[in-house]
Amino acid sequence: MKEMEKMSNFIFAGCDTVELAKKYKTPLYVMSEDYIIDRCAEIKKDFLEKYPKTMAVYASKAFLTKEMARIIKREGLGMDVVSGGELYTAIEVDFPMDQIIFHGNNKTIEELEMAIENDVGRIVVDNIDEIQIVDNIAKKYNKKAHILFRISPGLDIQTHKYIQTGQVDSKFGIPLTEKTIEMAIKKALSMENLELLGFHFHIGSQLLENDNHIKAIRIMTRLMKDVKDKYGFITKELNTGGGYGIHYTEDEKRKSISYFTDAIMEEVEKNCQEYGLERPLIIIEPGRWIVGEAGITLYTIGAIKEIPGIRTYVSIDGGMPDNPRPSLYQAKYEAVVANKINEEATEVVTIAGKCCESADILIWDLKVPEVERGDILAVLSTGAYNYSMSSNYNRLPRPAVVMIRDGKDRLIVKRETYEDLLRNDI
Ligand code: LLP
């Protein structure tokens, strides 16, 4: 009987998810280290080793804990950080600082000081103002700051408008107008404590096709030619951002890294040849692609409310505080009832979170077997931008995070307690 029960449970990364739910309670984030290692290996083999003069950094905003930073460090990728907090996490695990790229459209003076004092490899300057600020701080510490300019390439792309970032009307990056570029380049080249290495762009997230990266490369290589012709500036580095999509639902399929990077490299090589430019170091910054499918979230089903002829709401013990993406972006997820994995899906239900908020619906119209209170729901592909965007809304403690390697589970972030919620209350 025990074997039978086991057989019908959902196995993730070699672990019985129902057992994990029992051991650690729910809601619970479960991450597969094997999956993360596989993605890093793919990047190394099909990008870093295939092409000389390349660099890959993990966009840590997707999911960051000390253990995640250790894994990325061990796997040999660099890391993109966008805040003092992300940088602090990297510092705390002795992450090689020259492999850090520091982003942000409004880095504070304190954050920039922290970055420069700790010798981060590159600071991506997001606006003209920041050039002088970074130079001043570098001067204060008697250092030379290596910078890239984030350029907003002026592309409107097909993804949810909240995760588009490369369009003209964007808070990110230096706009691609001749006057602005001229001002930025001249200013940076005149600063004693700055070394301008090149340019960065990031056009958006959850992109399933490579055409937008190619379009952006055309724009950026053209810019490289212009700044060489006009100001004699040679671009040493071109950072092409992240944005590679993953599998959330049936019609979204994750593509190989080479689907994106081969296209990027081919386009860069072609344009550099045409323009008589030496090919710069090419950087990629995938976040979601490395961790998105590595994670699932386990919940316990509680209240079930059937409105005859209309809808059945199945409520879980988490929701928008641990996964704000459905309410923010209308993001879609797949899920399974972990303890009934082999049972036929005969019902269509709506998975509701437990917050006092009508928008707290995790999944509309999910096909499930007959469900009852106490069943375990596993929501898939929650590894990116779930834990990192989680909140304590309604004073719900954040779930624990468990990492799995070779079928063995270990706790990497403890579940928050009520005491944790009050820690800073005065
Ligand atoms: N590089 C830069 C400069 C970025 O701004 C981002 C993401 C990335 C790399 C990594 O993008 P990825 O490879 O993960 O797509 N919270 C949203 C996603 C926001 C992405 C912001 N920037 C979501 O949950 O969909």
Side-chain angles (χ1 to χ4, degrees):
M1 181 63 196
K2 261 234 129 74
E3 261 321 287
M4 281 287 287
E5 263 171 31
K6 249 200 144 131
M7 289 282 289
S8 60
N9 288 346
F10 172 48
I11 305 295
F12 177 74
C15 279
D16 182 326
T17 55
V18 179
E19 293 300 322
L20 288 175
K22 264 191 215 144
K23 179 169 172 186
Y24 296 102
K25 310 273 184 293
T26 57
L28 181 70
Y29 295 115
V30 181
M31 303 286 295
S32 163
E33 186 172 357
D34 304 305
Y35 181 93
I36 296 168
I37 294 172
D38 282 352
R39 295 286 74 69
C40 293
E42 189 179 333
I43 290 174
K44 282 185 271 188
K45 178 169 158 288
D46 293 340
F47 177 60
L48 296 174
E49 287 161 14
K50 183 165 177 186
Y51 301 100
K53 277 189 17 187
T54 46
M55 178 179 184
V57 301
Y58 165 62
S60 69
K61 73 207 77 176
F63 173 78
L64 187 61
T65 71
K66 281 168 74 173
E67 187 64 354
M68 183 62 192
R70 287 187 202 107
I71 292 171
I72 292 297
K73 175 181 161 188
R74 188 194 65 214
E75 295 306 309
L77 265 52
M79 210 151 74
D80 136 11
V81 302
V82 288
S83 70
E86 289 182 353
L87 178 57
Y88 183 72
T89 311
I91 293 170
E92 284 292 293
V93 302
D94 292 323
F95 201 92
M97 285 295 126
D98 60 337
Q99 298 300 304
I100 296 277
I101 302 187
F102 192 32
H103 284 283
N105 68 303
N106 186 25
K107 307 169 198 77
T108 65
I109 303 287
E110 290 77 13
E111 286 174 326
L112 284 168
E113 293 210 340
M114 186 176 173
I116 290 169
E117 208 182 343
N118 285 286
D119 297 310
V120 305
R122 291 153 184 85
I123 295 174
V124 180
V125 167
D126 208 277
N127 55 65
I128 306 244
D129 245 27
E130 211 175 57
I131 303 172
Q132 185 71 61
I133 297 171
V134 175
D135 186 63
N136 290 347
I137 299 171
K139 203 165 279 145
K140 177 172 157 192
Y141 289 95
N142 200 19
K143 300 203 171 175
K144 197 146 198 150
H146 293 130
I147 63 166
L148 300 176
F149 281 152
R150 177 163 182 166
I151 303 290
S152 150
L155 276 176
D156 281 333
I157 55 161
Q158 292 307 309
T159 189
H160 192 279
K161 79 171 191 286
Y162 287 3
I163 49 178
Q164 284 179 359
T165 42
Q167 71 275 29
V168 179
D169 188 359
S170 164
K171 75 167 181 168
F172 297 106
I174 297 170
L176 200 54
T177 64
E178 209 175 312
K179 245 178 111 185
T180 329
I181 295 293
E182 177 175 347
M183 204 194 309
I185 300 262
K186 285 190 171 160
K187 202 164 177 182
L189 294 182
S190 74
M191 300 276 159
E192 262 176 46
N193 294 70
L194 294 187
E195 184 178 350
L196 177 63
L197 296 176
F199 302 101
H200 166 271
F201 68 86
H202 172 78
I203 44 180
S205 209
Q206 184 55 12
L207 305 174
L208 295 162
E209 301 298 330
N210 59 20
D211 53 337
N212 288 298
H213 282 89
I214 296 174
K215 282 183 205 153
I217 297 275
R218 285 195 194 124
I219 296 171
M220 299 301 289
T221 45
R222 179 74 220 186
L223 170 70
M224 285 159 48
K225 174 181 160 42
D226 284 352
V227 296
K228 184 183 169 207
D229 291 350
K230 289 191 184 132
Y231 320 110
F233 174 70
I234 309 280
T235 304
K236 294 198 197 77
E237 298 189 1
L238 179 63
N239 182 335
T240 61
Y244 317 144
I246 63 159
H247 176 114
Y248 283 106
T249 60
E250 245 171 58
D251 29 290
E252 297 164 302
K253 293 275 173 273
R254 171 173 54 84
K255 299 219 169 93
S256 64
I257 199 73
S258 52
Y259 170 74
F260 292 97
T261 48
D262 284 352
I264 289 173
M265 296 310 285
E266 191 183 317
E267 192 65 27
V268 172
E269 295 280 5
K270 191 175 89 192
N271 296 358
C272 283
Q273 258 179 27
E274 187 184 327
Y275 295 144
L277 302 166
E278 189 181 330
R279 199 259 282 164
L281 173 93
I282 301 296
I283 304 174
I284 59 167
E285 295 179 327
R288 190 191 316 264
W289 189 88
I290 294 177
V291 283
E293 290 172 41
I296 61 169
T297 310
L298 302 177
Y299 303 96
T300 303
I301 289 174
I304 299 176
K305 162 180 158 167
E306 188 184 345
I307 312 171
I310 299 194
R311 178 178 299 283
T312 299
Y313 286 96
V314 170
S315 293
I316 49 161
D317 53 356
M320 64 190 290
D322 64 76
N323 184 359
R325 299 191 70 257
S327 50
L328 257 181
Y329 315 123
Q330 295 89 45
K332 306 264 186 302
Y333 285 90
E334 284 171 351
V336 294
V337 178
N339 53 314
K340 296 180 173 167
I341 195 72
N342 291 331
E343 289 180 26
E344 200 189 334
T346 50
E347 300 183 350
V348 174
V349 302
T350 289
I351 306 295
K354 68 183 259 97
C355 282
C356 292
E357 187 87 23
S358 296
D360 185 20
I361 300 291
L362 229 48
I363 304 175
W364 293 95
D365 301 329
L366 177 71
K367 278 196 191 148
V368 289
E370 207 172 301
V371 284
E372 60 204 312
R373 186 179 276 276
D375 283 346
I376 302 296
L377 186 81
V379 177
L380 312 181
S381 289
T382 59
Y385 304 109
N386 276 224
Y387 173 72
S388 64
M389 291 176 76
S390 64
S391 77
N392 288 127
Y393 184 45
N394 287 178
R395 290 232 142 177
L396 295 182
R398 280 187 183 76
V401 186
V402 166
M403 187 66 81
I404 299 177
R405 173 135 189 216
D406 294 333
K408 289 193 191 64
D409 52 280
R410 66 185 195 277
L411 189 65
I412 66 160
V413 181
K414 288 188 264 181
R415 180 177 302 284
E416 282 179 349
T417 61
Y418 291 141
E419 200 39 50
D420 292 330
L421 296 177
L422 302 187
R423 185 178 299 145
N424 296 322
D425 285 15
I426 292 166

